[in-house]
């Protein structure tokens, strides 16, 4: 297979995922604008609960990533029975976890809001309404992750694009009629926003089930899962969840705490800029998820030449997208922040941060791609260990630089650059050493 053919194979999986992400982003901004017109209490309630649920779903969703890795390898070994076993086991596990969280939300929703977030008064009432409407969110979302992984494994990601885009458009329409009480319906406010989300996600899940119905039937007919096999999925997904928790929560919270000591403008400017940079990184994550499927499959086939070339190809495609989007944001850096805020001081400061953070995150692109490749090659424990170690070292250096440089943003730039650079070097070295060892073992 030529490099061009391999790029085409990767793009066939990744491109629908990129389009899905862009569509979801645009429609999400429209939804936020509608919720923001209910009240400040509603906006705060929806933002807080959504953030909590997205974080929990993002971490638990790594059960489906483990399914993706294990099933891709099974298909690479031409073992369809094992693929069906993985499919059934992951569906049962995700359903069980989703039902546990459904029960927890029914029983403890008031305690979560009053103890964890210290909500009271109107904010608490609005939050309770929204949380009540979203009780089934985690169950549905975990199953959506499961089927998304299924479509990636089957190299049929167009259905992820069709399903999620249909769901997003429906969610916007339902938000409009439920929140504001259109077409003769009463105004439901945040409760209506929650109901709109659940209905649209349910439609998305229904589309996935209908498309995958033949494999679902075959999987439950042929596969004989057991607790031991489900336990193996949990064990494989644990370091993946730890990685997500480390990157999206612990390191971010620690960095934000450090930035808050400089000032609120610096913290807000950094958070705003990171949100803009994250849009540039969206294609990187989609190419990364595509590599999970292909590397797992080629590992099962013992196609080490492909495994050697894959990270370089995926990195070149990801970096191309990142550079194009990064340059667009740099050229329009004085205007892009205006989409998210109207504060003139914040806009000016964010535009100044944009260039250095886009340059620094080019190293993050390299790290992310090799992280996905190593996770697909069953080296997730090593990735977690190295990430934790380097994050800690980088953060300590960042603290030292804060005092030396008298609380200037340069300390953050140096710390982040060092973090991504060291992680990339260590992961690249480990990945190719591992592939070369496998090649040598095969030749012996």
């Amino acid at each position: 297979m030529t490099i061009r053919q391999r790029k085409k194979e990767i793009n066939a999986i990744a491109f629908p995922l990129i389009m899905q992400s862009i569509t979801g982003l645009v429609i999400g901004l429209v939804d936020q604008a509608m919720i923001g017109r209910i009240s400040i209490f509603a906006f705060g309630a929806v933002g807080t609960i959504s953030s909590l649920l997205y974080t929990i779903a993002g971490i638990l969703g790594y059960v489906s990533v483990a399914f993706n890795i294990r099933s891709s390898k099974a298909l690479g070994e031409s073992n369809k029975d094992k693929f069906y076993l993985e499919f059934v086991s992951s569906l049962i596990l995700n359903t069980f976890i989703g039902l546990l969280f459904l029960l927890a939300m029914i029983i403890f929703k008031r305690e979560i809001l009053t103890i964890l977030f210290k909500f009271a008064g109107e904010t608490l009432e609005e939050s309770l309404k929204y949380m009540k409407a979203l009780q089934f969110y985690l169950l549905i979302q975990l199953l959506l992750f499961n089927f998304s992984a299924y479509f990636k494994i089957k190299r049929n990601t167009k259905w992820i694009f069709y399903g999620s885009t249909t769901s997003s458009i429906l969610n916007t329409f339902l938000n409009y009629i439920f929140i504001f009480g259109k077409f003769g319906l009463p105004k439901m406010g945040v409760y209506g926003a929650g109901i709109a989300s659940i209905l649209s996600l349910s439609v998305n899940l229904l589309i996935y089930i209908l498309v995958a119905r033949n494999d679902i039937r075959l999987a439950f007919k042929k596969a004989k899962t057991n607790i031991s096999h489900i336990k193996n999925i949990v064990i494989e997904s644990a370091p993946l969840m730890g990685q997500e928790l480390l990157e999206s929560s612990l390191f971010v919270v620690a960095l934000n705490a450090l930035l808050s000591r400089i000032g609120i403008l610096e913290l807000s400017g950094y958070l705003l800029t990171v949100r803009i940079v994250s849009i540039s990184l969206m294609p990187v994550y989609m190419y990364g998820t595509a590599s999970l499927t292909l590397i797992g499959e080629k590992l099962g086939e013992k196609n080490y030449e492909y495994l050697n070339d894959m990270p370089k190809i995926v990195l070149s495609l990801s970096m191309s997208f990142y550079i194009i989007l990064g340059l667009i944001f740099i050229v329009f850096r004085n205007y892009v922040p205006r989409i998210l805020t109207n504060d003139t001081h914040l806009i000016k400061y964010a535009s100044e941060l944009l260039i250095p953070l886009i340059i620094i995150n080019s190293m993050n692109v390299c790290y992310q791609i090799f992280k996905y490749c190593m996770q697909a090659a069953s080296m997730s424990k090593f990735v977690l260990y190295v990430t934790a170690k380097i994050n800690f070292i980088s953060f300590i250096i960042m603290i030292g630089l804060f005092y030396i440089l008298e609380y200037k943003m340069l300390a953050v730039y140096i710390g982040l650059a060092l973090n991504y650079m060291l992680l990339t070097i260590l992961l690249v070295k480990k990945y190719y050493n591992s592939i070369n060892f496998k090649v040598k073992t095969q030749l012996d």
Side-chain angles (χ1 to χ4, degrees):
M1 188 181 284
T2 64
I3 296 294
R4 186 176 180 181
Q5 287 172 322
R6 288 175 184 175
K7 284 185 177 181
K8 188 176 180 181
E9 183 180 39
I10 296 163
N11 281 327
I13 298 174
F15 198 69
L17 300 176
I18 294 169
M19 295 307 297
Q20 170 220 354
S21 298
I22 293 169
T23 305
L25 174 70
V26 173
I27 292 173
L29 290 173
V30 175
D31 288 348
Q32 283 184 1
M34 281 193 273
I35 292 165
R37 280 161 176 74
I38 302 173
S39 71
I40 190 170
F41 301 105
F43 192 78
V46 170
T48 303
I49 294 167
S50 296
S51 178
L52 174 67
L53 293 177
Y54 292 161
T55 301
I56 295 170
I59 293 168
L60 295 175
Y62 276 86
V63 168
S64 296
V65 175
F67 157 62
N68 192 339
I69 294 166
R70 293 166 68 90
S71 294
S72 298
K73 190 175 179 181
L75 288 181
E77 295 167 348
S78 301
N79 191 341
K80 276 201 167 184
D81 288 341
K82 189 178 177 185
F83 164 73
Y84 288 133
L85 177 61
E86 298 290 351
F87 191 24
V88 170
S89 300
S90 60
L91 283 172
I92 291 171
L93 180 56
N94 276 319
T95 301
F96 176 71
I97 295 169
L99 288 172
L100 278 181
F101 274 88
L102 168 63
L103 190 63
M105 285 182 70
I106 291 171
I107 298 171
F108 300 113
K109 58 179 175 285
R110 181 175 286 272
E111 286 75 13
I112 291 168
L113 295 170
T114 54
I115 296 171
L116 184 61
F117 297 111
K118 303 292 183 184
F119 282 172
E122 192 171 341
T123 305
L124 176 61
E125 292 309 310
E126 292 290 280
S127 300
L128 285 169
K129 291 176 191 174
Y130 190 61
M131 211 167 191
K132 183 181 178 182
L134 285 179
Q135 286 174 162
F136 284 88
Y137 172 82
L138 281 167
L139 173 61
I140 297 169
Q141 189 61 66
L142 291 179
L143 290 173
L144 284 171
F145 286 151
N146 211 140
F147 281 104
S148 293
Y150 162 83
F151 287 119
K152 291 169 194 171
I153 295 161
K154 301 293 279 188
R155 303 194 188 189
N156 202 6
T157 52
K158 67 181 181 182
W159 285 107
I160 299 176
F161 173 64
Y162 295 154
S164 61
T165 302
T166 301
S167 173
S168 296
I169 294 170
L170 178 63
N171 188 46
T172 300
F173 174 71
L174 292 178
N175 265 339
Y176 177 70
I177 63 173
F178 288 166
I179 291 172
F180 303 114
K182 303 297 179 180
F183 303 108
L185 291 171
K187 288 183 179 181
M188 289 187 273
V190 291
Y191 184 74
I195 293 296
S197 295
I198 291 298
L199 288 176
S200 57
L201 288 172
S202 298
V203 168
N204 193 358
L205 182 59
L206 181 61
I207 291 170
Y208 286 175
I209 290 170
L210 288 172
V211 175
R213 63 188 180 279
N214 290 333
D215 269 340
I216 296 171
R217 195 182 300 115
L218 274 172
F220 277 96
K221 185 178 178 181
K222 289 188 174 186
K224 293 181 180 178
T225 191
N226 53 56
I227 297 297
S228 177
H229 194 80
I230 292 173
K231 183 181 175 183
N232 289 336
I233 297 176
V234 173
I235 290 169
E236 181 144 354
S237 62
L240 300 170
M241 291 181 187
Q243 185 76 29
E244 175 65 18
L245 184 64
L246 182 66
E247 287 186 7
S248 65
S249 301
L250 299 179
F251 187 71
V252 171
V253 169
L255 181 56
N256 289 348
L258 202 61
L259 283 164
S260 66
R261 282 159 174 75
I262 307 177
I264 190 63
L265 177 63
E266 287 77 8
L267 174 62
S268 300
Y270 175 79
L271 293 173
L272 177 59
T273 309
V274 164
R275 191 168 180 185
I276 295 166
V277 173
S278 69
I279 298 171
S280 299
L281 289 168
M282 279 167 50
V284 178
Y285 299 129
M286 299 306 104
Y287 276 109
T289 58
S291 69
L292 285 174
T293 298
L294 292 170
I295 285 186
E297 188 179 301
K298 301 307 174 184
L299 197 62
E301 294 174 1
K302 296 184 172 20
N303 187 342
Y304 297 121
E305 182 190 352
Y306 195 105
L307 291 170
N308 188 67
D309 292 339
M310 170 65 75
K312 301 168 192 172
I313 298 168
V314 176
L315 181 57
S316 67
L317 292 167
S318 302
M319 193 63 82
S320 298
F321 268 99
Y322 180 76
I323 289 170
I324 291 167
L325 290 171
L327 287 173
I328 291 170
F329 289 142
I330 287 171
V331 171
F332 296 101
R333 63 186 178 277
N334 294 320
Y335 303 97
V336 174
R338 296 174 191 271
I339 299 170
L340 301 171
T341 182
N342 58 2
D343 188 300
T344 54
H345 297 293
L346 187 56
I347 291 167
K348 184 177 183 298
Y349 189 70
S351 66
E352 292 171 0
L353 294 181
L354 201 52
I355 294 176
L357 285 176
I358 283 176
I359 293 169
I360 290 166
N361 273 276
S362 63
M363 286 180 277
N364 187 20
V365 175
C366 302
Y367 159 63
Q368 292 296 335
I369 293 304
F370 276 91
K371 179 191 77 175
Y372 279 109
C373 290
M374 290 187 69
Q375 287 173 340
S378 301
M379 290 185 275
S380 54
K381 288 181 183 177
F382 176 84
V383 175
L384 176 59
Y385 169 74
V386 168
T387 305
K389 189 175 179 180
I390 297 302
N391 279 178
F392 179 75
I393 292 169
S394 300
F395 189 68
I396 294 299
I397 291 170
M398 210 182 292
I399 292 173
L401 288 171
F402 254 74
Y403 288 107
I404 294 168
L405 299 173
E406 298 179 347
Y407 292 86
K408 291 184 179 176
M409 282 298 295
L410 182 59
V412 176
Y413 300 154
I414 295 171
L416 286 175
L418 183 67
N419 187 58
Y420 295 139
M421 184 178 68
L422 290 175
L423 283 170
T424 300
I425 290 168
L426 291 171
L427 295 194
V428 169
K429 184 179 178 181
K430 178 66 175 178
Y431 180 83
Y432 284 111
N433 282 346
S434 176
I435 297 302
N436 291 334
F437 176 76
K438 284 180 169 60
V439 172
K440 187 179 178 181
T441 305
Q442 188 180 45
L443 291 172
D444 292 341

